[in-house]
C-alpha cells in the first residue's frame, strides 16, 4: 500500500471515531436531568405573619418566624475522607494518594459507579485522574438503584493533599463534588 492510502485510512478512522463519539455524547446528553424536561422551581421565602395571639406588652404584635424547611437532598451525594493508601498486588511502587468516597443515589433512576468516573483535586487546584488497581480497597464498578449507596477508595498518582473528589455519571455531564474531610 502506498503512504497516501495508509494516511487516508488512518484519517478516515479518526474522523469516524470522532463522529461516533459525537453521536454517543448527544445521546447521553438527551438523558441528562438538564434536558429531561424537569424545570427548577424557584423557592420564595414565606412572608412573616403577625401572631394571632394578644399583642405584646408594648402594644406591638409578635412576629411568627416561618419554619425552616430542610434543604432537599441532592440527586447524587458524594462524601469523601482522607484514607491511607494500601497497595494492591497490581501496584509496582511509586507514590499514590487515596481518598475514601461514599456515593449515595437519592435520584429516582439508576446511576453507574466506576473508579474512572472520579477525579481528585488537590489543594493546589491540580486535578488527578483515578488510577485503576493501585489500592487494595478500590471502589467497585456497579449500578446503584435509587436509595442505594456504596463506599470504596479512589486513588490518584503522586503525594498530594486532596481537597475534593468529583464524580460524573458516565464520564460526561455535570459533576458532583464532595469535599475531603
Amino acid at each position: 500500500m502506498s503512504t497516501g492510502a495508509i494516511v487516508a485510512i488512518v484519517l478516515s478512522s479518526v474522523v469516524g471515531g470522532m463522529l461516533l463519539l459525537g453521536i454517543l455524547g448527544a445521546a447521553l446528553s438527551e438523558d441528562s436531568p438538564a434536558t429531561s424536561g424537569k424545570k427548577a422551581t424557584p423557592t420564595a421565602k414565606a412572608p412573616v405573619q403577625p401572631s394571632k395571639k394578644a399583642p405584646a406588652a408594648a402594644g406591638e404584635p409578635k412576629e411568627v418566624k416561618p419554619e425552616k424547611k430542610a434543604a432537599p437532598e441532592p440527586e447524587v451525594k458524594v462524601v469523601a475522607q482522607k484514607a491511607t493508601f494500601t497497595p494492591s498486588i497490581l501496584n509496582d511502587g511509586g507514590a499514590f494518594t487515596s481518598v475514601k468516597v461514599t456515593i449515595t443515589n437519592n435520584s429516582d433512576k439508576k446511576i453507574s459507579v466506576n473508579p474512572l468516573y472520579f477525579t481528585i483535586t488537590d489543594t493546589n487546584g491540580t486535578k488527578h485522574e483515578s488510577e485503576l488497581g493501585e489500592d487494595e480497597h478500590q471502589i467497585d464498578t456497579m449500578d446503584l438503584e435509587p436509595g442505594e449507596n456504596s463506599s470504596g477508595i479512589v486513588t490518584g498518582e503522586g503525594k498530594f493533599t486532596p481537597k475534593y473528589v468529583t464524580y460524573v455519571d458516565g464520564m460526561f455531564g455535570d459533576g458532583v463534588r464532595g469535599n475531603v474531610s
Side-chain angles (χ1 to χ4, degrees):
M1 266 189 170
S2 70
T3 305
I6 293 173
V7 170
I9 291 171
V10 170
L11 286 177
S12 64
S13 296
V14 170
V15 170
M18 291 174 69
L19 181 62
L20 181 62
L21 283 175
I23 292 169
L24 179 62
L28 289 175
S29 68
E30 288 177 5
D31 292 338
S32 74
T35 60
S36 65
K38 294 182 184 178
K39 293 185 179 179
T41 55
T43 57
K45 292 186 179 182
V48 176
Q49 300 289 329
S51 171
K52 294 184 181 185
K53 293 182 180 180
E60 296 180 12
K62 288 185 179 180
E63 291 184 11
V64 176
K65 294 183 181 179
E67 291 183 32
K68 290 185 179 180
K69 293 183 181 180
E73 284 287 323
E75 287 193 0
V76 177
K77 182 177 179 182
V78 175
V79 176
Q81 302 172 330
K82 292 180 184 176
T84 303
F85 173 67
T86 307
S88 74
I89 59 171
L90 299 176
N91 176 268
D92 61 354
F96 292 91
T97 299
S98 290
V99 176
K100 179 180 179 185
V101 296
T102 300
I103 183 164
T104 304
N105 181 4
N106 295 318
S107 74
D108 58 356
K109 60 184 175 182
K110 175 175 65 173
I111 64 168
S112 296
V113 176
N114 184 315
L116 294 175
Y117 297 173
F118 293 90
T119 58
I120 306 170
T121 302
D122 66 25
T123 53
N124 294 325
T126 303
K127 185 183 273 190
H128 302 266
E129 297 294 325
S130 181
E131 296 292 327
L132 294 178
E134 296 295 339
D135 194 293
E136 186 175 314
H137 305 288
Q138 174 177 291
I139 195 163
D140 292 326
T141 298
M142 69 184 76
D143 289 329
L144 291 179
E145 295 294 332
E148 292 182 329
N149 68 64
S150 181
S151 295
I153 298 294
V154 177
T155 302
E157 186 172 8
K159 287 285 184 189
F160 56 89
T161 303
K163 183 174 182 181
Y164 57 85
V165 174
T166 304
Y167 162 80
V168 178
D169 186 7
M171 298 173 60
F172 298 105
D174 296 331
V176 177
R177 183 181 289 182
N179 292 330
V180 177
S181 60

